């Protein structure tokens, strides 16, 4: 459950006043924040406390993460000259704190640690727009008006993701997730033509590591088949697509992850329980289902609801018979 920590008082108590990038740069703190939701909820895997913009920030692109807003960039990527601001990532030199956090965690955790990176499209959307966007108009304009530059940008971002993911796995991460959170802004044609080749490059670039590769997006109902074809072992399905329909779209050899609506978790337990059981029943007991929320935990979520949710999923015995 991504960003599960944000709803916890113990997170707010130790997070400090700086930006999240400052917190991520402190391995002991980042490891402790990663462990908090694991201890509280008893989930089956941990996700590293970091952010998708860490590699681009580390090579000096000029990125900050504004609380309540997300990544902001003072000088967005708009022309060929900006390519010079995207040099290759040297993880041991540029993000040693991330690797130290992974090492601390691998020593302490009894469950797998999921490392992650931002997918080329989603990171590009922040670099090009300069801040979170609803329309992705600058990103789409670049893609369609200067495809050669677009492909070079995505290629560099794919290389950054590969370097970052490989370093996290070398440090001990046992699974990886590629976050293409905003790919759902595209139609299947544009996704396949302008985005999928770069995401495929990321999956191919880590295939030899032998760790499960999860491909995540939101609003991606029409893209699920393509996201599976990009090279994932697991595809995230958000709550708009019933899990069994999502499974049909990704095909029989791919596992699914999802897909309770995080906003449901703000409701009373009875409502959450019924909605969670609907998700589990839709899976129908088939192997290859990672139960989680379709997107991150909302900060207002009551932690006791999430405690009960984990208990419910762990105790699930299959559809009730009538
Ligand atoms: O779940 C976790 O806590 C693990 C670490 C994690 C964070 N960001 C920490 C974070 C992960 C896996 C991410 C990925 C991430 N970052 C994505 C992809 C996943 C998704 O949710 O779609 C995206 C799009 C980002 C960019 C980003 N960073 C956004 C949109 C925000 C939210 C801004 C806000 O405050 O609502 C951030 C900040 C951020 N990253 C927070 C956390 C815990 C919250 C702010 C903070 O504590 O400072």
């Amino acid at each position: 459950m991504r960003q599960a920590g944000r709803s916890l008082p113990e997170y707010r108590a130790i997070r400090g006043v700086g930006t999240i990038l400052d917190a991520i740069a402190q391995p002991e703190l980042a490891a402790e924040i990663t462990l908090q939701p694991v201890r509280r909820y008893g989930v089956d895997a941990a996700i590293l406390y970091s952010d998708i913009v860490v590699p681009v920030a580390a090579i000096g692109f000029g990125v900050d993460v504004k609380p309540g807003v997300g990544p902001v960039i003072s000088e967005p990527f708009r022309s060929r000259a900006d390519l010079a601001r995207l040099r290759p990532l040297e993880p041991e030199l540029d993000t040693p704190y991330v690797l130290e956090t992974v090492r601390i965690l691998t020593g302490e955790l009894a469950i797998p640690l999921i490392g992650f990176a931002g997918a080329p499209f989603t990171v590009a959307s922040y670099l090009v727009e300069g801040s979170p966007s609803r329309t992705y108009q600058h990103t789409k304009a670049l893609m369609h008006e200067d495809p050669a530059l677009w492909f070079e940008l995505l290629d560099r971002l794919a290389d950054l993701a590969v370097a970052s993911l490989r370093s996290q796995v070398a440090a001990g991460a046992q699974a990886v997730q590629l976050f293409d959170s905003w790919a759902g802004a595209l139609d299947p044609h544009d996704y396949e033509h302008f985005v999928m080749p770069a995401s495929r490059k990321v999956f191919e670039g880590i295939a030899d590591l032998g760790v499960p590769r999860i491909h995540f997006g939101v609003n991606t109902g029409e893209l699920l088949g393509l996201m599976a074809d990009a090279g994932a072992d697991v595809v995230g399905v958000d709550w708009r697509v019933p899990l069994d329909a999502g499974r049909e779209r990704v095909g029989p050899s791919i596992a699914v992850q999802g897909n309770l609506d995080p906003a449901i978790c703000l409701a009373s337990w009875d409502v959450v329980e019924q909605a969670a059981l609907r998700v589990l029943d839709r899976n129908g007991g088939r192997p290859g289902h990672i139960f989680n929320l379709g997107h991150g935990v909302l900060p207002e979520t009551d932690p006791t609801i999430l405690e009960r949710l984990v208990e419910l999923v762990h105790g699930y015995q299959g559809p009730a018979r009538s």
Side-chain angles (χ1 to χ4, degrees):
M1 294 193 288
R2 254 161 324 93
Q3 308 202 349
R6 267 211 293 182
S7 60
L8 294 177
E10 59 265 34
Y11 172 67
R12 291 191 286 268
I14 65 166
R15 159 75 172 71
V17 288
T19 80
I20 189 171
L21 297 179
D22 299 327
I24 290 165
Q26 301 169 57
E28 294 290 343
L29 178 62
E32 175 56 24
I33 292 174
T34 304
L35 291 169
Q36 285 179 337
V38 174
R39 277 194 213 111
R40 168 83 80 136
Y41 298 124
V43 284
D44 304 303
I47 182 139
L48 178 69
Y49 184 74
S50 182
D51 197 86
I52 58 168
V53 296
V54 164
V56 277
I59 61 167
F61 195 85
V63 185
D64 211 345
V65 182
K66 252 197 184 151
V69 176
V72 286
I73 282 130
S74 49
E75 288 176 63
F77 185 103
R78 292 290 162 80
S79 71
R80 180 157 289 276
D82 293 315
L83 279 177
R85 298 161 63 199
L86 286 171
R87 66 163 172 84
L89 181 77
E90 294 183 67
E92 295 285 353
L93 297 175
D94 296 320
T95 53
Y97 43 88
V98 172
L99 304 181
E100 181 55 22
T101 306
V102 173
R103 287 187 198 106
I104 296 172
L105 286 166
T106 330
E108 293 200 16
L109 282 165
I111 52 172
L113 175 69
I114 306 171
F116 70 90
F121 172 77
T122 289
V123 176
S125 79
Y126 285 114
L127 301 190
V128 176
E129 300 296 328
S131 57
S133 169
R134 275 169 202 227
T135 57
Y136 303 95
Q137 60 203 61
H138 298 291
T139 312
K140 290 182 182 182
L142 179 65
M143 172 190 291
H144 291 287
E145 283 164 21
D146 194 347
L149 178 57
W150 172 257
F151 284 120
E152 278 186 65
L153 169 61
L154 259 67
D155 197 58
R156 292 207 189 186
L157 296 177
D159 290 342
L160 286 180
V162 169
S164 177
L165 292 173
R166 292 193 74 88
S167 70
Q168 293 173 56
V169 172
Q174 286 129 309
V176 293
Q177 183 151 339
L178 190 68
F179 283 105
D180 212 351
S181 304
W182 315 134
L186 300 170
D187 71 20
H189 170 274
D190 285 356
Y191 177 80
E192 186 170 11
H193 185 69
F194 289 111
V195 172
M196 194 175 158
S199 295
R200 176 174 276 140
K201 185 179 185 189
V202 177
F203 286 118
E204 283 175 357
I206 56 171
D208 61 307
L209 301 178
V211 296
R213 297 161 297 170
I214 308 166
H215 200 178
F216 172 87
V218 187
N219 247 321
T220 47
E222 299 300 329
L223 306 179
L224 290 173
L226 294 169
M227 289 176 70
D229 289 347
D233 303 300
V234 183
V235 172
V237 178
D238 84 14
W239 61 93
R240 296 168 186 87
V241 179
L243 203 63
D244 47 349
R247 230 180 225 294
E248 290 287 315
R249 293 178 197 183
V250 302
S253 60
I254 307 285
V256 290
Q257 175 173 285
N259 66 349
L260 184 64
D261 181 349
I264 297 269
C265 296
L266 301 177
S268 60
W269 171 247
D270 290 350
V271 174
V272 179
E273 180 179 34
Q274 290 313 309
L277 288 173
R278 282 197 297 278
V279 169
L280 291 163
D281 290 350
R282 284 264 180 200
N283 181 58
R286 281 168 288 196
H289 175 213
I290 300 169
F291 180 97
N292 80 351
L293 305 187
H295 206 177
V297 174
L298 296 167
E300 298 80 7
T301 309
D302 175 356
T304 60
I305 292 280
L306 298 183
E307 284 169 21
R308 295 178 79 172
L309 180 58
V310 173
E311 235 172 82
L312 176 79
V313 174
H314 280 158
Y316 181 73
Q317 302 281 357
R321 281 172 209 191
S322 50

